[in-house]
Amino acid sequence: MSQRLKLTLRLDADGKAAIGHGKIKLLEKLVETGSISAAGRALGMSYRRTWLLVDSLNSLFAEPVVATRAGGGGGAFLTETGQTVLYLYRDIEQQAARASAPSMNRLARLLAVPEAECP
């Protein structure tokens, strides 16, 4: 696939934006850091924005995607549902990338030459 074009995926639920690469990156950072606020900081998000995104994900599914640990040190983790959501999103993304590769390559050949490469 073209290096200049990248397929990004947004899934809508009930006609509203639900899950996209931003929320998925947040979930992946949460797995990495074990903390909602640390995941948000790592992605350059405000504390409030991070929590709003987590809350929107938890509200979207029948069961929470992210859970917090009570007690000293606290922390957060993906629930079984959260792990499944993350896996399925990445699986759908890979399937879409494979299916669209021929058209993406054709489209990339139609792009203008980047300014940095112009003579």
Side-chain angles (χ1 to χ4, degrees), residues 16-88:
K16 297 178 187 170
I19 310 168
H21 64 276
K23 287 179 182 173
I24 292 299
K25 284 182 184 179
L26 178 60
L27 293 180
E28 289 172 336
K29 280 293 178 192
L30 192 145
V31 169
E32 210 176 284
T33 63
S35 162
I36 293 170
S37 55
R41 275 193 308 274
L43 295 171
M45 288 186 212
S46 71
Y47 180 82
R48 177 173 163 66
R49 174 92 175 123
T50 303
W51 277 90
L52 287 172
L53 291 174
V54 168
D55 188 49
S56 73
L57 282 167
N58 279 344
S59 298
L60 180 63
F61 293 94
E63 296 179 10
V65 172
V66 175
T68 56
R69 291 183 182 91
F77 61 96
L78 294 188
T79 63
E80 186 174 329
T81 298
Q83 292 171 22
T84 302
V85 166
L86 185 57
Y87 169 80
L88 290 173

